[in-house]
Amino acid sequence: IIDAAREREANLLLLGWPGYTQSKGQAFGSIIDLMTTHPPCDLAVVRLRRTGLPNRILVPIAGGPNARLAIELAITEADAIEQRTGARPEVVALNLILGSSDDGDAHKKQRRLDLLEELQTEKWPLELHLIPADNVVEGILQEAADFDQIIIGASEERLLEQSLFGSIPQRVAEEALATVIMVKRHDLVRFGLW
């Protein structure tokens, strides 16, 4: 698979994951863990929960290095759906306000608005949901209840943290009722910037 991706100069390697593994000591299973050691391109691991085309796509963002890839994939998918069916899926960026529901901190609020502006594209309008939460995974799952799909970038945890995508994306993929796509940029994998 890796040789074929290199030969065809693939931009994205898309792998399926059932949400568990029977491979001892591995986060996603022997094949996915092995293939992602030296990937030839960006990675996406999908846990399929709902079939059919999504009407609403949630993209949790916190400004990490993989947020842009998650937004790009969501917009590309939404655009393809619109071209194919005429329906225009909604893409929502989710940013959690941890610890307090107080929006009074002007600096934090401005950082979130700057993040949305940075991720905004001419191709597709993004809506930003700022949601207070005490726990990141629970906050994402609660907001995701009304969405068909979640696209989440890998967290910035280090390689030895056990999970290729980080514990937050992996937990979301394990627990969400919607289809979850976890993404990671190739350059970040190649240079060890986890």
Side-chain angles (χ1 to χ4, degrees):
I1 294 172
I2 291 173
D3 288 344
R6 284 188 180 122
E7 192 176 289
R8 295 171 189 213
E9 299 179 359
N11 294 321
L12 181 68
L13 183 58
L14 183 65
L15 306 169
W17 180 57
Y20 60 88
T21 182
Q22 295 178 358
S23 301
K24 194 171 187 164
Q26 295 180 328
F28 292 94
S30 58
I31 294 172
I32 292 175
D33 285 7
L34 179 64
M35 288 178 55
T36 56
T37 305
H38 299 291
C41 55
D42 293 342
L43 298 171
V45 174
V46 179
R47 174 139 196 235
L48 188 64
R49 294 286 219 161
R50 294 184 181 169
T51 58
L53 300 175
N55 292 318
R56 299 186 78 212
I57 302 169
L58 182 67
V59 186
I61 57 170
N66 296 293
R68 181 165 295 285
L69 178 60
I71 292 288
E72 289 170 0
L73 186 58
I75 289 170
T76 299
E77 181 181 22
D79 187 52
I81 291 169
E82 182 181 42
Q83 289 182 23
R84 181 175 164 197
T85 67
R88 189 171 178 92
E90 179 184 12
V91 178
V92 174
L94 170 66
N95 189 259
L96 299 174
I97 303 165
L98 294 177
S100 171
S101 60
D102 180 17
D103 260 356
D105 187 342
H107 179 69
K108 285 182 181 179
K109 192 171 186 178
Q110 187 58 49
R111 276 188 31 217
R112 285 174 171 82
L113 293 173
D114 291 345
L115 177 61
L116 178 62
E117 185 176 322
E118 177 187 325
L119 295 172
Q120 199 68 254
T121 68
E122 291 178 22
K123 187 175 185 179
W124 204 271
L126 292 176
E127 184 179 331
L128 177 64
H129 288 188
L130 298 173
I131 306 294
D134 293 324
N135 177 285
V136 174
V137 173
E138 290 173 12
I140 292 170
L141 294 174
Q142 184 175 356
E143 184 70 10
D146 295 328
F147 287 82
D148 307 303
Q149 189 176 86
I150 303 165
I151 302 179
I152 187 169
S155 59
E156 296 183 75
E157 295 166 296
R158 307 299 297 165
L159 177 61
L160 298 177
E161 292 284 337
Q162 172 129 21
S163 173
L164 176 69
F165 289 90
S167 60
I168 291 170
Q170 184 174 348
R171 281 195 52 214
V172 169
E174 289 169 346
E175 298 176 30
L177 299 178
T179 292
V180 177
I181 302 174
M182 298 172 286
V183 297
K184 182 175 279 192
R185 284 229 180 262
H186 170 246
D187 289 343
L188 298 177
V189 174
R190 184 177 65 201
F191 295 117
L193 300 174
W194 299 72

PDB file of all heavy atoms in Angstrom, residues 117-144:
ATOM      1  N   GLU A 117     -10.640  33.156  11.585  1.00  0.00           N
ATOM      2  CA  GLU A 117     -10.278  33.945  10.407  1.00  0.00           C
ATOM      3  C   GLU A 117      -9.152  33.262   9.634  1.00  0.00           C
ATOM      4  O   GLU A 117      -9.166  33.219   8.405  1.00  0.00           O
ATOM      5  CB  GLU A 117      -9.845  35.347  10.830  1.00  0.00           C
ATOM      6  CG  GLU A 117      -9.578  36.264   9.654  1.00  0.00           C
ATOM      7  CD  GLU A 117      -9.254  37.675  10.108  1.00  0.00           C
ATOM      8  OE1 GLU A 117      -9.865  38.145  11.084  1.00  0.00           O
ATOM      9  OE2 GLU A 117      -8.374  38.281   9.479  1.00  0.00           O
ATOM     10  N   GLU A 118      -8.187  32.689  10.352  1.00  0.00           N
ATOM     11  CA  GLU A 118      -7.074  31.988   9.711  1.00  0.00           C
ATOM     12  C   GLU A 118      -7.558  30.769   8.939  1.00  0.00           C
ATOM     13  O   GLU A 118      -7.065  30.455   7.864  1.00  0.00           O
ATOM     14  CB  GLU A 118      -6.065  31.564  10.782  1.00  0.00           C
ATOM     15  CG  GLU A 118      -4.899  30.767  10.253  1.00  0.00           C
ATOM     16  CD  GLU A 118      -4.031  30.226  11.377  1.00  0.00           C
ATOM     17  OE1 GLU A 118      -3.887  30.911  12.404  1.00  0.00           O
ATOM     18  OE2 GLU A 118      -3.516  29.111  11.212  1.00  0.00           O
ATOM     19  N   LEU A 119      -8.541  30.067   9.492  1.00  0.00           N
ATOM     20  CA  LEU A 119      -9.040  28.848   8.858  1.00  0.00           C
ATOM     21  C   LEU A 119     -10.102  29.116   7.796  1.00  0.00           C
ATOM     22  O   LEU A 119     -10.408  28.238   6.992  1.00  0.00           O
ATOM     23  CB  LEU A 119      -9.602  27.902   9.927  1.00  0.00           C
ATOM     24  CG  LEU A 119      -8.583  27.355  10.925  1.00  0.00           C
ATOM     25  CD1 LEU A 119      -9.291  26.604  12.029  1.00  0.00           C
ATOM     26  CD2 LEU A 119      -7.556  26.470  10.231  1.00  0.00           C
ATOM     27  N   GLN A 120     -10.683  30.303   7.801  1.00  0.00           N
ATOM     28  CA  GLN A 120     -11.742  30.654   6.844  1.00  0.00           C
ATOM     29  C   GLN A 120     -11.207  30.613   5.412  1.00  0.00           C
ATOM     30  O   GLN A 120     -10.079  30.998   5.162  1.00  0.00           O
ATOM     31  CB  GLN A 120     -12.261  32.053   7.172  1.00  0.00           C
ATOM     32  CG  GLN A 120     -13.606  32.368   6.583  1.00  0.00           C
ATOM     33  CD  GLN A 120     -14.727  31.558   7.193  1.00  0.00           C
ATOM     34  OE1 GLN A 120     -15.210  30.654   6.544  1.00  0.00           O
ATOM     35  NE2 GLN A 120     -15.132  31.857   8.403  1.00  0.00           N
ATOM     36  N   THR A 121     -12.014  30.127   4.512  1.00  0.00           N
ATOM     37  CA  THR A 121     -11.627  30.074   3.105  1.00  0.00           C
ATOM     38  C   THR A 121     -12.689  30.755   2.269  1.00  0.00           C
ATOM     39  O   THR A 121     -13.835  30.884   2.678  1.00  0.00           O
ATOM     40  CB  THR A 121     -11.486  28.617   2.616  1.00  0.00           C
ATOM     41  OG1 THR A 121     -12.781  28.012   2.598  1.00  0.00           O
ATOM     42  CG2 THR A 121     -10.563  27.813   3.507  1.00  0.00           C
ATOM     43  N   GLU A 122     -12.289  31.161   1.079  1.00  0.00           N
ATOM     44  CA  GLU A 122     -13.265  31.732   0.150  1.00  0.00           C
ATOM     45  C   GLU A 122     -14.169  30.643  -0.405  1.00  0.00           C
ATOM     46  O   GLU A 122     -15.302  30.898  -0.790  1.00  0.00           O
ATOM     47  CB  GLU A 122     -12.531  32.422  -1.001  1.00  0.00           C
ATOM     48  CG  GLU A 122     -11.787  33.673  -0.585  1.00  0.00           C
ATOM     49  CD  GLU A 122     -11.034  34.306  -1.740  1.00  0.00           C
ATOM     50  OE1 GLU A 122     -11.391  34.049  -2.915  1.00  0.00           O
ATOM     51  OE2 GLU A 122     -10.087  35.055  -1.471  1.00  0.00           O
ATOM     52  N   LYS A 123     -13.660  29.421  -0.437  1.00  0.00           N
ATOM     53  CA  LYS A 123     -14.378  28.307  -1.053  1.00  0.00           C
ATOM     54  C   LYS A 123     -15.624  27.885  -0.268  1.00  0.00           C
ATOM     55  O   LYS A 123     -16.612  27.471  -0.842  1.00  0.00           O
ATOM     56  CB  LYS A 123     -13.418  27.132  -1.185  1.00  0.00           C
ATOM     57  CG  LYS A 123     -13.942  25.962  -1.954  1.00  0.00           C
ATOM     58  CD  LYS A 123     -12.845  24.918  -2.106  1.00  0.00           C
ATOM     59  CE  LYS A 123     -13.312  23.781  -2.970  1.00  0.00           C
ATOM     60  NZ  LYS A 123     -12.268  22.778  -3.151  1.00  0.00           N
ATOM     61  N   TRP A 124     -15.550  28.011   1.060  1.00  0.00           N
ATOM     62  CA  TRP A 124     -16.644  27.483   1.877  1.00  0.00           C
ATOM     63  C   TRP A 124     -16.770  28.289   3.167  1.00  0.00           C
ATOM     64  O   TRP A 124     -15.787  28.472   3.875  1.00  0.00           O
ATOM     65  CB  TRP A 124     -16.363  26.024   2.230  1.00  0.00           C
ATOM     66  CG  TRP A 124     -17.602  25.261   2.539  1.00  0.00           C
ATOM     67  CD1 TRP A 124     -18.193  25.129   3.756  1.00  0.00           C
ATOM     68  CD2 TRP A 124     -18.407  24.538   1.624  1.00  0.00           C
ATOM     69  NE1 TRP A 124     -19.323  24.361   3.654  1.00  0.00           N
ATOM     70  CE2 TRP A 124     -19.469  23.978   2.346  1.00  0.00           C
ATOM     71  CE3 TRP A 124     -18.341  24.297   0.264  1.00  0.00           C
ATOM     72  CZ2 TRP A 124     -20.449  23.206   1.761  1.00  0.00           C
ATOM     73  CZ3 TRP A 124     -19.317  23.524  -0.324  1.00  0.00           C
ATOM     74  CH2 TRP A 124     -20.359  22.990   0.421  1.00  0.00           C
ATOM     75  N   PRO A 125     -17.955  28.746   3.506  1.00  0.00           N
ATOM     76  CA  PRO A 125     -18.116  29.491   4.760  1.00  0.00           C
ATOM     77  C   PRO A 125     -18.067  28.538   5.962  1.00  0.00           C
ATOM     78  O   PRO A 125     -18.685  27.480   5.950  1.00  0.00           O
ATOM     79  CB  PRO A 125     -19.503  30.122   4.622  1.00  0.00           C
ATOM     80  CG  PRO A 125     -20.235  29.207   3.693  1.00  0.00           C
ATOM     81  CD  PRO A 125     -19.200  28.644   2.748  1.00  0.00           C
ATOM     82  N   LEU A 126     -17.317  28.933   6.965  1.00  0.00           N
ATOM     83  CA  LEU A 126     -17.243  28.145   8.190  1.00  0.00           C
ATOM     84  C   LEU A 126     -18.004  28.858   9.293  1.00  0.00           C
ATOM     85  O   LEU A 126     -17.964  30.072   9.406  1.00  0.00           O
ATOM     86  CB  LEU A 126     -15.794  27.999   8.646  1.00  0.00           C
ATOM     87  CG  LEU A 126     -14.865  27.158   7.798  1.00  0.00           C
ATOM     88  CD1 LEU A 126     -13.464  27.217   8.368  1.00  0.00           C
ATOM     89  CD2 LEU A 126     -15.348  25.731   7.722  1.00  0.00           C
ATOM     90  N   GLU A 127     -18.660  28.072  10.087  1.00  0.00           N
ATOM     91  CA  GLU A 127     -19.317  28.605  11.274  1.00  0.00           C
ATOM     92  C   GLU A 127     -18.479  28.163  12.462  1.00  0.00           C
ATOM     93  O   GLU A 127     -17.953  27.048  12.480  1.00  0.00           O
ATOM     94  CB  GLU A 127     -20.728  28.019  11.366  1.00  0.00           C
ATOM     95  CG  GLU A 127     -21.543  28.573  12.499  1.00  0.00           C
ATOM     96  CD  GLU A 127     -22.953  27.982  12.524  1.00  0.00           C
ATOM     97  OE1 GLU A 127     -23.470  27.614  11.453  1.00  0.00           O
ATOM     98  OE2 GLU A 127     -23.502  27.894  13.624  1.00  0.00           O
ATOM     99  N   LEU A 128     -18.289  29.028  13.439  1.00  0.00           N
ATOM    100  CA  LEU A 128     -17.521  28.679  14.629  1.00  0.00           C
ATOM    101  C   LEU A 128     -18.449  28.558  15.822  1.00  0.00           C
ATOM    102  O   LEU A 128     -19.226  29.464  16.101  1.00  0.00           O
ATOM    103  CB  LEU A 128     -16.451  29.744  14.910  1.00  0.00           C
ATOM    104  CG  LEU A 128     -15.617  29.525  16.170  1.00  0.00           C
ATOM    105  CD1 LEU A 128     -14.787  28.250  16.074  1.00  0.00           C
ATOM    106  CD2 LEU A 128     -14.710  30.725  16.426  1.00  0.00           C
ATOM    107  N   HIS A 129     -18.376  27.432  16.507  1.00  0.00           N
ATOM    108  CA  HIS A 129     -19.098  27.241  17.760  1.00  0.00           C
ATOM    109  C   HIS A 129     -18.086  27.325  18.890  1.00  0.00           C
ATOM    110  O   HIS A 129     -17.139  26.544  18.933  1.00  0.00           O
ATOM    111  CB  HIS A 129     -19.792  25.883  17.804  1.00  0.00           C
ATOM    112  CG  HIS A 129     -20.977  25.788  16.915  1.00  0.00           C
ATOM    113  ND1 HIS A 129     -21.830  24.708  16.944  1.00  0.00           N
ATOM    114  CD2 HIS A 129     -21.475  26.610  15.963  1.00  0.00           C
ATOM    115  CE1 HIS A 129     -22.800  24.888  16.052  1.00  0.00           C
ATOM    116  NE2 HIS A 129     -22.591  26.032  15.445  1.00  0.00           N
ATOM    117  N   LEU A 130     -18.270  28.273  19.781  1.00  0.00           N
ATOM    118  CA  LEU A 130     -17.470  28.391  20.996  1.00  0.00           C
ATOM    119  C   LEU A 130     -18.300  27.825  22.134  1.00  0.00           C
ATOM    120  O   LEU A 130     -19.327  28.391  22.499  1.00  0.00           O
ATOM    121  CB  LEU A 130     -17.125  29.854  21.278  1.00  0.00           C
ATOM    122  CG  LEU A 130     -16.296  30.579  20.228  1.00  0.00           C
ATOM    123  CD1 LEU A 130     -16.185  32.051  20.562  1.00  0.00           C
ATOM    124  CD2 LEU A 130     -14.934  29.940  20.102  1.00  0.00           C
ATOM    125  N   ILE A 131     -17.872  26.695  22.675  1.00  0.00           N
ATOM    126  CA  ILE A 131     -18.674  25.975  23.657  1.00  0.00           C
ATOM    127  C   ILE A 131     -17.874  25.808  24.950  1.00  0.00           C
ATOM    128  O   ILE A 131     -16.737  25.326  24.923  1.00  0.00           O
ATOM    129  CB  ILE A 131     -19.054  24.568  23.121  1.00  0.00           C
ATOM    130  CG1 ILE A 131     -19.727  24.652  21.764  1.00  0.00           C
ATOM    131  CG2 ILE A 131     -19.898  23.801  24.132  1.00  0.00           C
ATOM    132  CD1 ILE A 131     -21.066  25.333  21.756  1.00  0.00           C
ATOM    133  N   PRO A 132     -18.448  26.169  26.098  1.00  0.00           N
ATOM    134  CA  PRO A 132     -17.765  25.905  27.365  1.00  0.00           C
ATOM    135  C   PRO A 132     -17.790  24.403  27.675  1.00  0.00           C
ATOM    136  O   PRO A 132     -18.779  23.722  27.383  1.00  0.00           O
ATOM    137  CB  PRO A 132     -18.572  26.692  28.388  1.00  0.00           C
ATOM    138  CG  PRO A 132     -19.879  26.967  27.749  1.00  0.00           C
ATOM    139  CD  PRO A 132     -19.696  26.884  26.266  1.00  0.00           C
ATOM    140  N   ALA A 133     -16.690  23.907  28.231  1.00  0.00           N
ATOM    141  CA  ALA A 133     -16.614  22.485  28.576  1.00  0.00           C
ATOM    142  C   ALA A 133     -15.623  22.291  29.714  1.00  0.00           C
ATOM    143  O   ALA A 133     -14.641  23.024  29.823  1.00  0.00           O
ATOM    144  CB  ALA A 133     -16.193  21.671  27.360  1.00  0.00           C
ATOM    145  N   ASP A 134     -15.888  21.298  30.532  1.00  0.00           N
ATOM    146  CA  ASP A 134     -14.952  20.938  31.595  1.00  0.00           C
ATOM    147  C   ASP A 134     -13.985  19.865  31.121  1.00  0.00           C
ATOM    148  O   ASP A 134     -12.905  19.708  31.673  1.00  0.00           O
ATOM    149  CB  ASP A 134     -15.710  20.426  32.829  1.00  0.00           C
ATOM    150  CG  ASP A 134     -16.524  21.535  33.488  1.00  0.00           C
ATOM    151  OD1 ASP A 134     -16.049  22.688  33.494  1.00  0.00           O
ATOM    152  OD2 ASP A 134     -17.632  21.245  33.965  1.00  0.00           O
ATOM    153  N   ASN A 135     -14.382  19.115  30.100  1.00  0.00           N
ATOM    154  CA  ASN A 135     -13.582  18.008  29.589  1.00  0.00           C
ATOM    155  C   ASN A 135     -13.612  18.069  28.061  1.00  0.00           C
ATOM    156  O   ASN A 135     -14.693  18.192  27.470  1.00  0.00           O
ATOM    157  CB  ASN A 135     -14.171  16.683  30.105  1.00  0.00           C
ATOM    158  CG  ASN A 135     -13.448  15.484  29.571  1.00  0.00           C
ATOM    159  OD1 ASN A 135     -13.602  15.115  28.411  1.00  0.00           O
ATOM    160  ND2 ASN A 135     -12.664  14.855  30.428  1.00  0.00           N
ATOM    161  N   VAL A 136     -12.459  17.951  27.420  1.00  0.00           N
ATOM    162  CA  VAL A 136     -12.368  18.097  25.960  1.00  0.00           C
ATOM    163  C   VAL A 136     -13.180  17.023  25.236  1.00  0.00           C
ATOM    164  O   VAL A 136     -14.011  17.335  24.390  1.00  0.00           O
ATOM    165  CB  VAL A 136     -10.897  18.068  25.490  1.00  0.00           C
ATOM    166  CG1 VAL A 136     -10.816  18.079  23.973  1.00  0.00           C
ATOM    167  CG2 VAL A 136     -10.133  19.242  26.068  1.00  0.00           C
ATOM    168  N   VAL A 137     -12.947  15.768  25.569  1.00  0.00           N
ATOM    169  CA  VAL A 137     -13.641  14.672  24.869  1.00  0.00           C
ATOM    170  C   VAL A 137     -15.148  14.761  25.076  1.00  0.00           C
ATOM    171  O   VAL A 137     -15.925  14.669  24.121  1.00  0.00           O
ATOM    172  CB  VAL A 137     -13.097  13.296  25.309  1.00  0.00           C
ATOM    173  CG1 VAL A 137     -13.930  12.167  24.700  1.00  0.00           C
ATOM    174  CG2 VAL A 137     -11.630  13.145  24.908  1.00  0.00           C
ATOM    175  N   GLU A 138     -15.579  14.977  26.315  1.00  0.00           N
ATOM    176  CA  GLU A 138     -17.017  15.076  26.597  1.00  0.00           C
ATOM    177  C   GLU A 138     -17.636  16.270  25.881  1.00  0.00           C
ATOM    178  O   GLU A 138     -18.762  16.187  25.381  1.00  0.00           O
ATOM    179  CB  GLU A 138     -17.256  15.157  28.103  1.00  0.00           C
ATOM    180  CG  GLU A 138     -16.963  13.852  28.817  1.00  0.00           C
ATOM    181  CD  GLU A 138     -17.035  13.965  30.330  1.00  0.00           C
ATOM    182  OE1 GLU A 138     -17.535  14.987  30.836  1.00  0.00           O
ATOM    183  OE2 GLU A 138     -16.573  13.027  31.003  1.00  0.00           O
ATOM    184  N   GLY A 139     -16.914  17.392  25.828  1.00  0.00           N
ATOM    185  CA  GLY A 139     -17.409  18.570  25.113  1.00  0.00           C
ATOM    186  C   GLY A 139     -17.591  18.309  23.628  1.00  0.00           C
ATOM    187  O   GLY A 139     -18.607  18.692  23.035  1.00  0.00           O
ATOM    188  N   ILE A 140     -16.623  17.630  23.023  1.00  0.00           N
ATOM    189  CA  ILE A 140     -16.720  17.294  21.591  1.00  0.00           C
ATOM    190  C   ILE A 140     -17.884  16.348  21.356  1.00  0.00           C
ATOM    191  O   ILE A 140     -18.694  16.549  20.447  1.00  0.00           O
ATOM    192  CB  ILE A 140     -15.395  16.687  21.077  1.00  0.00           C
ATOM    193  CG1 ILE A 140     -14.288  17.740  21.076  1.00  0.00           C
ATOM    194  CG2 ILE A 140     -15.587  16.104  19.673  1.00  0.00           C
ATOM    195  CD1 ILE A 140     -12.896  17.181  20.819  1.00  0.00           C
ATOM    196  N   LEU A 141     -17.984  15.307  22.173  1.00  0.00           N
ATOM    197  CA  LEU A 141     -19.046  14.316  21.992  1.00  0.00           C
ATOM    198  C   LEU A 141     -20.430  14.923  22.187  1.00  0.00           C
ATOM    199  O   LEU A 141     -21.371  14.587  21.459  1.00  0.00           O
ATOM    200  CB  LEU A 141     -18.843  13.129  22.940  1.00  0.00           C
ATOM    201  CG  LEU A 141     -17.595  12.280  22.677  1.00  0.00           C
ATOM    202  CD1 LEU A 141     -17.432  11.231  23.764  1.00  0.00           C
ATOM    203  CD2 LEU A 141     -17.642  11.643  21.298  1.00  0.00           C
ATOM    204  N   GLN A 142     -20.563  15.816  23.153  1.00  0.00           N
ATOM    205  CA  GLN A 142     -21.858  16.464  23.384  1.00  0.00           C
ATOM    206  C   GLN A 142     -22.260  17.303  22.176  1.00  0.00           C
ATOM    207  O   GLN A 142     -23.391  17.236  21.707  1.00  0.00           O
ATOM    208  CB  GLN A 142     -21.793  17.324  24.643  1.00  0.00           C
ATOM    209  CG  GLN A 142     -23.115  17.938  25.000  1.00  0.00           C
ATOM    210  CD  GLN A 142     -23.054  18.682  26.326  1.00  0.00           C
ATOM    211  OE1 GLN A 142     -22.047  18.694  27.025  1.00  0.00           O
ATOM    212  NE2 GLN A 142     -24.159  19.309  26.678  1.00  0.00           N
ATOM    213  N   GLU A 143     -21.332  18.098  21.644  1.00  0.00           N
ATOM    214  CA  GLU A 143     -21.634  18.933  20.474  1.00  0.00           C
ATOM    215  C   GLU A 143     -21.875  18.076  19.241  1.00  0.00           C
ATOM    216  O   GLU A 143     -22.686  18.411  18.382  1.00  0.00           O
ATOM    217  CB  GLU A 143     -20.477  19.919  20.234  1.00  0.00           C
ATOM    218  CG  GLU A 143     -20.717  20.889  19.114  1.00  0.00           C
ATOM    219  CD  GLU A 143     -21.787  21.932  19.414  1.00  0.00           C
ATOM    220  OE1 GLU A 143     -22.243  22.054  20.569  1.00  0.00           O
ATOM    221  OE2 GLU A 143     -22.170  22.645  18.469  1.00  0.00           O
ATOM    222  N   ALA A 144     -21.179  16.942  19.140  1.00  0.00           N
ATOM    223  CA  ALA A 144     -21.255  16.078  17.955  1.00  0.00           C
ATOM    224  C   ALA A 144     -22.557  15.293  17.852  1.00  0.00           C
ATOM    225  O   ALA A 144     -22.827  14.672  16.819  1.00  0.00           O
ATOM    226  CB  ALA A 144     -20.081  15.105  17.941  1.00  0.00           C
TER     227      ALA A 144
END
